[in-house]
Amino acid sequence: MSPYDVKRERKELYAPKNTAWALIEVPEQQFIAIDGQGDPNTSPTYAAAVEALYTVAYTLKFAAKRDGQDFVVAPLEGLWWADDYEAFTVRAKASWKWTMLISLPDWITKETIEEARAAAAAKKKLPAIAGLRHHTLHEGLCAQILHVGSYDDEAPLLAHLHNDYVKANGLRLHGLHHEIYLSDPRRTRPEQLKTILRQPVRPSE
């Protein structure tokens, strides 16, 4: 049996092809998560958070494989917000707040996550692991798009969403901006990066 792969099992969530905003219903999912603030390009806190997430994710994977339920570690995801939305349009990254996430199969339990967190902390000695937590997210109706290009080129798409798309479709924003990183920025040229942009929405009336 092939390992569980969320990109294969939930293609509509992790392998969309639309490069214009479209609506999708997103079911409840569970994640491991870690919170922080600052420029993701330069903040040591961000780098440490991502390292902690992957360390625990692979600890969970190896434990699951030993128990006969292997899975592919899912792409990195992020929830992003700021006290002022303009921080995103002008790319004032130092003021960005974030929750970084990695999706987990439904059969991974909170107890298993805690066991993996403790094992990873004992082995790797990464202080950021202490801040890692279980997180459940049920976004429901969302506007979603596949963006191909550098992260800084997302701003016009987000401006169109906020200023045009939601109004034209009788919607309002509801919840945090969500990104799913399908490409490894260490190995992919900026213009070829693939990122899913997602925004929970609700009817405006």
Side-chain angles (χ1 to χ4, degrees):
M1 182 180 296
S2 299
Y4 174 88
D5 186 347
V6 71
K7 298 188 300 299
R8 180 184 67 239
E9 300 297 331
R10 293 184 167 179
K11 290 183 179 180
E12 72 282 6
L13 304 182
Y14 288 87
K17 300 190 183 298
N18 56 294
T19 55
W21 290 104
L23 295 177
I24 185 172
E25 189 71 27
V26 181
E28 182 175 286
Q29 290 179 266
Q30 68 167 347
F31 302 84
I32 47 175
I34 193 165
D35 307 311
Q37 177 176 338
D39 187 337
N41 296 324
T42 60
S43 170
T45 302
Y46 179 85
V50 172
E51 183 181 13
L53 273 180
Y54 275 110
T55 299
V56 174
Y58 276 99
T59 302
L60 282 164
K61 170 186 169 61
F62 297 143
K65 188 173 183 179
R66 287 194 301 270
D67 293 338
Q69 287 187 297
D70 194 11
F71 67 92
V72 176
V73 172
L76 181 68
E77 308 185 35
L79 304 176
W80 299 87
W81 70 101
D83 294 334
D84 182 355
Y85 169 69
E86 290 299 317
F88 290 99
T89 58
V90 301
R91 315 307 281 175
K93 299 178 183 180
S95 62
W96 291 2
K97 300 176 183 179
W98 38 262
T99 296
M100 305 312 297
L101 309 158
I102 292 180
S103 175
L104 296 176
D106 293 339
W107 39 265
I108 296 290
T109 66
K110 293 181 181 179
E111 291 74 19
T112 304
I113 292 170
E114 183 56 33
E115 290 170 2
R117 191 180 71 84
K123 184 176 181 180
K124 293 292 188 177
K125 310 298 183 185
L126 299 174
I129 290 177
L132 186 141
R133 59 187 172 83
H134 174 268
H135 184 69
T136 300
L137 186 63
H138 190 180
E139 293 173 301
L141 184 65
C142 292
Q144 180 171 282
I145 190 172
L146 175 64
H147 169 61
V148 181
S150 74
Y151 302 134
D152 285 337
D153 288 341
E154 295 173 6
L157 292 175
L158 297 178
H160 174 64
L161 172 71
H162 284 243
N163 299 329
D164 303 307
Y165 182 84
V166 292
K167 295 177 183 177
N169 289 276
L171 301 168
R172 59 182 173 84
L173 305 182
H174 178 85
L176 299 178
H177 174 68
H178 188 167
E179 299 192 352
I180 303 171
Y181 306 102
L182 303 180
S183 306
D184 185 342
R186 299 169 300 176
R187 299 182 176 89
T188 308
R189 298 174 63 180
E191 64 270 20
Q192 297 175 335
L193 291 170
K194 292 184 178 181
T195 308
I196 299 170
L197 309 182
R198 183 183 296 164
Q199 174 62 54
V201 294
R202 296 293 183 269
S204 56
E205 298 181 355

